[in-house]
Amino acid sequence: TLGVLAGITVALVAVMSAFAAPGDTVADRVFGQAGSFTTGTDNLGGISAGSLSLPWGAVVDGASNLYVADASNNRVLEYNSPLTTDTVADRVFGQGGSFTSGACNLGGISASSLCAPSMIAVDGSGNLYVADTSNNRVLEYNSPLTTDTVADRVFGQGGSFTSGACNLGGISASSLCNPYAVAVD
């Protein structure tokens, strides 16, 4: 299972049952705290590829890459095969490629920005879906590990990447207001 410690404790601790010995309930790695199991400081050492602040959701794709919704840093981090490499993120979504920025909607609301992402999902084709809670939308990134970190599709804003209004145009089949979760089938 993959566990996420949110709220006061800002570390993301991952235990992959598929790789752990039967009955093993001790975490093997810490994400976001420079490897320390004993601290709960937001952005320990400053905002970086190795820090987290209020990790909200996490998902592992079919290639064992880990994605983490880092809500207070307004980004999603991707770790390439972290169970065999390290706990430093390899890719950042929502901050224009910068691991050291944590601004909500850096550069304005766009296909490249996020504001308080909460839950995430990955489909069988490797597409990433992010519930961009404070922008009242869900973003889809098509094959982000082989393309880029710019969203390709937006749900909840009538197709507009530059709007973040709750129920834009009124409550309808194409509007969202504070989506917290996303799932694929």
Side-chain angles (χ1 to χ4, degrees):
T1 61
L2 181 66
V4 178
L5 303 175
I8 297 173
T9 305
V10 297
L12 175 71
V13 180
V15 180
M16 302 302 297
S17 61
F19 301 102
D24 186 359
T25 58
V26 178
D28 297 315
R29 294 182 182 260
V30 176
F31 294 83
Q33 296 301 324
S36 174
F37 283 93
T38 60
T39 185
T41 304
D42 285 25
N43 296 319
L44 184 64
I47 298 175
S48 70
S51 70
L52 292 169
S53 181
L54 193 60
W56 199 260
V59 67
V60 176
D61 69 14
S64 298
N65 299 308
L66 173 67
Y67 294 84
V68 178
D70 187 11
S72 287
N73 284 330
N74 302 293
R75 64 188 186 175
V76 170
L77 297 177
E78 183 270 331
Y79 302 80
N80 293 338
S81 305
L83 297 180
T84 58
T85 57
D86 57 35
T87 60
V88 176
D90 296 290
R91 192 170 276 107
V92 61
F93 298 82
Q95 292 298 322
S98 173
F99 284 103
T100 59
S101 174
C104 172
N105 294 322
L106 181 67
I109 298 175
S110 70
S112 298
S113 69
L114 292 169
C115 190
S118 54
M119 296 296 187
I120 51 185
V122 177
D123 67 18
S125 297
N127 300 317
L128 173 68
Y129 300 83
V130 177
D132 189 13
T133 304
S134 289
N135 283 329
N136 302 293
R137 63 188 185 175
V138 170
L139 297 176
E140 175 185 340
Y141 300 82
N142 295 331
S143 304
L145 297 183
T146 58
T147 57
D148 56 34
T149 59
V150 177
D152 297 290
R153 191 173 193 188
V154 61
F155 300 91
Q157 293 299 323
S160 172
F161 284 104
T162 59
S163 174
C166 175
N167 292 323
L168 179 68
I171 298 173
S172 71
S174 63
S175 69
L176 290 172
C177 189
N178 297 110
Y180 288 104
V182 63
V184 295
D185 72 11

